[in-house]
Amino acid sequence: MVVFTPMTATDSSTQGVLDVDGCPLSFRVRGEGEAVVLIQGVGVEGDAWRPQVDALAARFRCLTFDNRGMGKSVPSAGALSIERMTADTVALLDHLQWKSAHVVGHSLGGQVAIELGLSARQRVRSLALLCTFARGRDAVAMTPAKIWTGLRTYIGSRRARRHAFLEMVCPASTLRAADGAAKDRLAADLAELFGHDLADHPAVEMAQLKALKAYDAWTRLPQLAGIPTLVVAAAEDRIAVPASGRNLTAAIPGAHFVEIPDAAHGVPIQKSAEVNRLLVDHFALL
């Protein structure tokens, strides 16, 4: 069942809540022009796309939203899966009466974007897949470094947990150049975008990771042929390693691959100008 709350305009943007099967999806639309929907990853609210929307809104109509169970989109109301999140995205497109849109997804959001292209192809003008993977198990495969860093995001002082989280999303060069105070400022800046203190793990995070791990679209990727697809990887990404991006590109006929140096999983924020340029150029292909 879908029930919507009327949208309200604030600071040249539009925001609202769409009830989809018991989950109040909180969303925002900003800008004018061709439609773009941006889908976030694990433990991150929709406003983390601000570095993109700030640049794109002059030329594009941008939809961002809190994924089911995140931010203001609570409670999540039921089991979480990539297919469920894809249905949420389609419900938002229907509510806005958007026949199609350029679809941008980061990490977990990239899996949703892939599934949207596979199951609702007519709604997808193009795909931009940032730091993502077609097989979720590739992302959650453990290495000693990932185990050590991941554990430190759960234990120790709040400051230590924040600094450990930075290691998951920032390139080593950034952290080497930062003293403790600089890391504190960086963590505070990211917390404002992510919607929570980096020392904390949102309650829905484990369910999101379970959904991510369970998803496998590998054998269906050739079906995306004909959809203009950009795949972006970050050279120092520990989660979506560049090899995953190259494999994804090879499996999608006609896809274009870009690897951004000196960047990690947080590349849409850390290298926003470069990512935004890539997106604008990609959208212009149509």
Side-chain angles (χ1 to χ4, degrees):
M1 181 172 132
V2 175
V3 181
F4 72 89
T5 299
M7 299 177 291
T8 58
T10 306
D11 298 332
S12 75
S13 67
T14 302
Q15 54 189 356
V17 176
L18 178 69
D19 190 302
V20 182
D21 297 333
C23 175
L25 290 174
S26 176
F27 68 93
R28 181 184 294 261
V29 179
R30 182 176 161 201
E32 296 293 337
E34 291 184 7
V36 177
V37 56
L38 302 105
I39 310 169
Q40 266 301 346
V42 172
V44 182
E45 295 183 6
D47 280 348
W49 286 115
R50 193 187 314 157
Q52 280 61 59
V53 175
D54 283 349
L56 297 177
R59 298 172 56 182
F60 300 94
R61 196 170 19 149
C62 301
L63 165 65
T64 60
F65 58 97
D66 293 346
N67 285 322
R68 179 176 290 258
M70 271 301 303
K72 297 178 181 177
S73 296
V74 292
S76 59
L80 199 63
S81 67
I82 299 302
E83 292 77 12
R84 172 68 272 176
M85 296 173 70
T86 301
D88 290 341
T89 308
V90 171
L92 286 167
L93 294 175
D94 288 346
H95 172 56
L96 295 169
Q97 299 182 356
W98 292 4
K99 292 182 178 180
S100 64
H102 300 287
V103 180
V104 182
H106 179 261
S107 196
L108 171 73
Q111 292 185 318
V112 177
I114 289 170
E115 184 59 31
L116 190 62
L118 291 169
S119 62
R121 182 188 182 95
Q122 72 280 8
R123 312 305 293 268
V124 178
R125 289 178 56 80
S126 72
L127 285 172
L129 308 175
L130 314 181
C131 299
T132 195
F133 18 73
R135 290 181 294 221
R137 64 179 183 270
D138 293 345
V140 298
M142 288 292 102
T143 64
K146 285 172 70 173
I147 292 171
W148 172 238
T149 305
L151 281 174
R152 287 163 45 234
T153 68
Y154 284 91
I155 61 175
S157 69
R158 296 185 65 79
R159 188 184 194 216
R161 298 203 304 270
R162 294 182 191 112
H163 289 190
F165 187 91
L166 292 177
E167 296 176 24
M168 301 290 288
V169 297
C170 297
S173 58
T174 296
L175 299 181
R176 280 196 302 267
D179 60 15
K183 290 179 182 178
D184 291 341
R185 290 191 295 272
L186 178 56
D189 290 342
L190 289 179
E192 181 182 354
L193 290 174
F194 286 15
H196 63 88
D197 190 319
L198 302 191
D200 300 322
H201 290 267
V204 75
E205 184 177 281
M206 294 310 296
Q208 289 182 325
L209 287 170
K210 183 177 179 180
L212 180 153
K213 181 180 179 180
Y215 186 69
D216 188 344
W218 183 255
T219 60
R220 296 185 290 150
L221 291 178
Q223 297 175 32
L224 296 175
I227 299 178
T229 301
L230 169 69
V231 179
V232 177
E236 298 185 36
D237 195 336
R238 295 184 179 188
I239 299 169
V241 297
S244 291
R246 287 191 289 270
N247 292 338
L248 184 60
T249 305
I252 301 174
H256 176 59
F257 177 73
V258 175
E259 182 176 323
I260 298 179
D262 193 29
H265 202 61
V267 66
I269 296 170
Q270 299 150 5
K271 299 277 187 174
S272 59
E274 186 166 354
V275 169
N276 295 342
R277 177 184 58 78
L278 288 169
L279 291 177
V280 169
D281 290 348
H282 179 58
F283 300 157
L285 293 176
L286 291 180

